[in-house]
Amino acid sequence: MRVRFGKQAVENNDETCILITQYEDTQVGLIVDGVDEVVNIAATDILEPPNVNDINAHFVTGVYNDGKRIRLILDCDQVLNS
């Protein structure tokens, strides 16, 4: 995922994880630097992303605010096809 977002590749380590997601009819594994936690988010709790001028903004499909942290919801179609 680092390379997809324009960041420099790094060696895998003990924190590196493979995030499994469903994309169309296929399960896909995404290598990520780490995972802090897994949360279930109701679709009704996902807000529209803010309009920002960031080169990677098109990867964000929504925002979730749990009152403590703001979480960005990635658009898997954009991440996998761009």
Side-chain angles (χ1 to χ4, degrees), residues 14-77:
D14 291 342
E15 299 293 317
T16 304
C17 297
I18 300 175
L19 178 68
I20 306 296
T21 187
Q22 188 75 23
Y23 175 68
E24 295 180 352
D25 293 330
T26 306
Q27 286 186 335
V28 178
L30 306 170
I31 300 173
V32 298
D33 290 346
V35 174
D36 291 330
E37 66 181 307
V38 176
V39 296
N40 290 316
I41 302 171
T44 55
D45 291 335
I46 298 174
L47 307 172
E48 290 290 320
N51 188 7
V52 295
N53 292 326
D54 185 299
I55 193 166
N56 293 318
H58 67 281
F59 290 120
V60 178
T61 190
V63 176
Y64 172 69
N65 184 347
D66 67 3
K68 295 182 244 175
R69 294 172 53 184
I70 294 175
R71 301 162 195 265
L72 303 179
I73 311 298
L74 296 181
D75 183 334
C76 285
D77 188 45

